[in-house]
Each structure stands twice: as C-alpha cells, then as structure tokens.
Amino acid sequence: MLQQFTPMTGICDRIKSEEKSAPADNVDALRASLSKLDIRGEHHRFLVNRMGSSGSTWLVKLLNSHPDVFCYHEGVLAQIYPHKSYTSEHVVNFIRSLAWDDMHGAYKAIGDVGSSWLGHIHAVPRNLFTTGILLRHPARMLNTRLKVFEKDKSFTKIDPSTLRQTEERWGIKACNEMDQIFVQDLFHIVMQIRAVDTVDVVIQLERMNDVEYCCNILQQLTGIHHEPSVVDLFIHNPVNRRTNTVSLQAVLQEFSSEQRAWYNAMLKEDLPRCGYALDSDELLETPTRPPSADGVPRSALPKEFRGYELQMLKQAVLERDCEIGRLRAEIKELRATVKELQGVLAAVQNSVLWRLLEILRRVRRRVLPTERVPIAQRVEEPSSRTKL
C-alpha cells in the first residue's frame, strides 16, 4: 500500500532548511521577487510542497517515468552543497533557475518536489507555475517519524518557538524529547492542512493507489498524460518503506495516551477537510475547493499560518545573529593573532642578532659588486690593452 511510503533519503534527512516556510508578512516581498522571473522555454512548470515521510521519493520517481517530464527531488540541495542548511533566498534562487533553464527544450514539463516552502508556493505566479501539496495520513507520518527518530536524531532539530505556539494554542506542553518531536510534527501538519486551499493540486498519497486518480493528478500537475499501464507498475512497486503494513487503529495504539489526546485535539477540526478520518483508514469526501485563475492566488494564508511563519522568521533571524556574532568573534581573534605576530616580527627586527645580520649584509654589498662582469668580457679586456 502506498501509505507506507517514506520519502526522505539519508542526505535529505541531514540537510535541513533554516526556516520551515517563508514568513507571511514577507509574502508580498517574495511575490515581488518572483514576479519578474526570467522565463525561457514554453514548457510546463510545477512545484510541490511536502513534509517528511509523505511519499515524495515515489512520486518523483513516478513523474520522471515519463520521457517528457523532468522532476527534481529537493533540487535546492544541489545548489547549496556542501552547506548543511539553506534559507528562503536559496529557495528563491532555485525557483528562478527553474524558470530560466529550458534544458534545451528536451522536456515538456519541469518541476520539483520538496524544495519549496509554503510561503514560496503561495508567492509564485500562478500563470507560470502549477503548485501542489503532497499529503499522507498524519498518523502514519507521525508513526514513521517516531520510528526513525528513535534510531537517528541527527536530522531533527526541536524548535522552542514551535513548542511555545503549541502550548499557547492548544495548552499542550511536551516535556520529553519524543513527545516534543511528536508535537512539533503535528504542528507542521496542521499548518500544511490549513494551506491546502492556496495551491492548485492536493495530492493524497493513499488515493494514488487508484490508477485513474493517479493519472488525473499527474495530468493536473504536469499537463501531460501518463500511460495508465506504467502508472500501475509504479503503484505495485513502492519504495523507501520504513514501517510495516498495519491498520490505522494499530498505528494509533503505538502512540502513548497523551500523544493520542494531542493528536485528536490538534487535528479533529482540520483533518476531515483533507479527506482523512482521525481514527480509521476510511477516505472521506473532500469539500469542494475554490477554483483558481491564472496569476491569482486561491486565498490568503490562514491567520494561524501567518503567526507561525512570523515565529519561524524570528527564529531564523536569531540564528543568523548568533552566526554573525560567532564570525565577528573569529575575526577579532584572527586580528589579535596578526597583531601578536607583528609584535614578534618587530621584536626580531630590533634584536642584536638581526642588527648584526643587517650590518653583514651591508658590508657584503660593498665588498662584492652587485653586478658581476661577464667572464668573457674580463678575458677580452687584457688583450685589447695589449693591442694598444
């Protein structure tokens, strides 16, 4: 079943964005920077936002199965290597490269899954990019994330501002590390669900088991028809699975009683709008989404999302200030080292031995001529005098 897919590879797990998404107060600035893209080629362009353990590896592989489609999987990572993190500016530059690079006209659709934050998805011109969000049932994503976190914590940073907002909005206070990562991921899932009306295509991984649904989603995203027989092959060949096939009830039982209570409190109002039931594998009918017109965003970002984005910006600014402070300290230390070396050099030049060496150099220059007469010339001079 496709709901078992988990997309994140080793390197993607360890290279993380410094912000989860662009700040809503800065969306106008993002839209302004992305409104003047250098467009080359007439191919279709698309961007998909997703969270970890949602099936993006499989989706990218499926998209690339068509000879006229080229899809990056977190393509921004190739631009920032060997750095271990990236910022909003890196994402903007990557989107600009997608707009500029026509790949010699070899493809009819070019896009990316995983690089763009929700703020960028909201800001790109709709007449130039088709935007989407990839969803998987939150309980299954949380289950996979907890399983991975038990073995490898290197790629997950717990953000105090996210925990603080969760406590303020839902009265949830997570104390131990496992609970904190659980609550943090829940918060990100809620923010993603509340932004589904801002994109063109909502992709539910569980519904991608159906060939017709899958082909329709790919058509909406790329503008290209995918062969159903090829799609069917991919449906029966999942990739990157990290958890076993179990019912959603069994997954929920693996959570602690507190985690289940938090899960219900944070998702009970928002989850049904994405077609998911809280405690079963049943897929619900999704509400009719408002149509989007070319160049016109579907709707404004939710108020909660704007507050979350602002907190993420503040956190990023704080981290940047710390980095600037560290660099300034290193520069100060380097200057002190240079000054110390200059003092050592001055002491050497003022020493008795140094002065003695200088005297010897001057005597040598007086005794030995700087320009030596060539041997051939010295041999010829006596014979010329003899001739005279």
Side-chain angles (χ1 to χ4, degrees):
M1 298 292 286
L2 296 185
Q3 63 249 29
Q4 301 167 31
F5 293 171
T6 55
M8 302 182 71
T9 59
I11 185 170
C12 294
D13 284 344
R14 290 166 175 78
I15 301 180
K16 306 308 291 180
S17 60
E18 292 184 6
E19 302 170 87
K20 293 297 179 184
S21 48
D25 291 347
N26 200 31
V27 167
D28 289 339
L30 275 176
R31 187 175 290 117
S33 67
L34 293 172
S35 64
K36 300 178 181 179
L37 296 173
D38 185 6
I39 302 297
R40 297 177 62 193
E42 298 179 356
H43 55 272
H44 194 99
R45 296 172 176 87
F46 60 91
L47 293 170
V48 178
N49 172 265
R50 58 90 170 144
M51 284 190 60
S53 303
S54 58
S56 60
T57 300
W58 178 84
L59 177 61
V60 171
K61 192 174 180 180
L62 173 59
L63 286 164
N64 284 323
S65 69
H66 197 288
D68 288 328
V69 178
F70 183 91
C71 182
Y72 290 98
H73 190 199
E74 287 197 294
V76 68
L77 300 184
Q79 291 193 352
I80 60 100
Y81 181 82
H83 300 292
K84 300 301 182 183
S85 62
Y86 59 94
T87 64
S88 174
E89 184 178 358
H90 290 116
V91 179
V92 170
N93 289 336
F94 176 69
I95 294 173
R96 285 173 177 164
S97 73
L98 279 179
W100 176 82
D101 188 2
D102 64 356
M103 295 191 178
H104 305 287
Y107 300 94
K108 294 181 180 178
I110 299 174
D112 175 89
V113 175
S115 293
S116 301
W117 309 337
L118 288 174
H120 299 92
I121 290 287
H122 184 71
V124 292
R126 290 299 171 84
N127 60 326
L128 300 180
F129 285 87
T130 298
T131 59
I133 286 181
L134 174 61
L135 299 175
R136 183 189 178 206
H137 197 288
R140 296 192 180 279
M141 282 198 295
L142 290 166
N143 182 47
T144 303
R145 294 276 286 126
L146 290 178
K147 296 292 185 184
V148 175
F149 190 71
E150 287 178 341
K151 302 174 183 177
D152 186 359
K153 303 178 183 180
S154 61
F155 61 86
T156 302
K157 181 179 180 181
I158 296 175
D159 181 15
S161 66
T162 301
L163 299 180
R164 184 168 56 253
Q165 287 191 74
T166 304
E167 185 175 1
E168 291 173 355
R169 296 181 188 187
W170 290 280
I172 295 172
K173 185 174 180 61
C175 298
N176 64 62
E177 194 175 39
M178 293 299 291
D179 284 346
Q180 288 177 348
I181 193 63
F182 183 90
V183 169
Q184 178 171 276
D185 281 357
L186 259 178
F187 182 86
H188 294 160
I189 289 169
V190 172
M191 295 302 106
Q192 190 184 46
I193 290 173
R194 292 181 180 181
V196 293
D197 289 335
T198 68
V199 300
D200 300 308
V201 185
V202 177
I203 309 166
Q204 288 182 270
L205 185 67
E206 290 79 3
R207 295 183 189 270
M208 296 290 274
N209 275 316
D210 180 76
V211 174
E212 184 179 354
Y213 174 89
C214 195
C215 289
N216 182 45
I217 287 292
L218 297 175
Q219 177 84 33
Q220 292 181 55
L221 196 60
T222 66
I224 295 175
H225 172 72
H226 281 64
E227 177 59 41
S229 60
V230 176
V231 171
D232 187 62
L233 286 175
F234 275 83
I235 289 175
H236 291 91
N237 286 275
V239 296
N240 201 22
R241 292 190 290 184
R242 295 179 180 173
T243 51
N244 297 325
T245 304
V246 292
S247 67
L248 194 70
Q249 284 288 343
V251 170
L252 292 173
Q253 288 303 313
E254 295 188 20
F255 299 159
S256 68
S257 58
E258 283 188 324
Q259 289 172 348
R260 285 195 296 272
W262 299 335
Y263 168 85
N264 289 321
M266 294 179 68
L267 289 174
K268 63 182 179 182
E269 295 182 0
D270 295 295
L271 190 57
R273 66 187 293 197
C274 290
Y276 290 119
L278 271 174
D279 55 2
S280 75
D281 289 305
E282 180 186 3
L283 294 175
L284 310 176
E285 288 295 326
T286 56
T288 303
R289 301 171 63 245
S292 62
D294 287 348
V296 180
R298 287 188 179 277
S299 61
L301 290 172
K303 180 179 179 181
E304 296 86 350
F305 180 71
R306 294 197 294 271
Y308 162 67
E309 297 277 22
L310 183 58
Q311 287 296 327
M312 299 308 299
L313 176 63
K314 290 179 179 178
Q315 180 67 21
V317 170
L318 180 61
E319 292 176 358
R320 183 60 57 85
D321 288 342
C322 292
E323 180 69 11
I324 291 174
R326 183 184 66 79
L327 292 174
R328 285 177 175 170
E330 290 181 358
I331 293 173
K332 185 177 180 181
E333 183 179 350
L334 182 60
R335 286 176 176 171
T337 302
V338 171
K339 187 175 181 180
E340 183 180 351
L341 291 174
Q342 289 175 339
V344 172
L345 179 60
V348 170
Q349 291 175 339
N350 294 329
S351 65
V352 175
L353 181 60
W354 183 270
R355 288 198 294 271
L356 179 60
L357 287 174
E358 284 295 313
I359 293 172
L360 291 174
R361 290 192 189 98
R362 288 195 294 269
V363 171
R364 180 180 177 278
R365 283 195 293 269
R366 291 175 183 175
V367 173
L368 299 176
T370 305
E371 297 183 1
R372 297 182 179 179
V373 179
I375 296 175
Q377 185 178 345
R378 290 203 299 268
V379 172
E380 291 176 359
E381 285 179 354
S383 61
S384 62
R385 290 195 192 97
T386 303
K387 188 179 290 185
L388 290 172

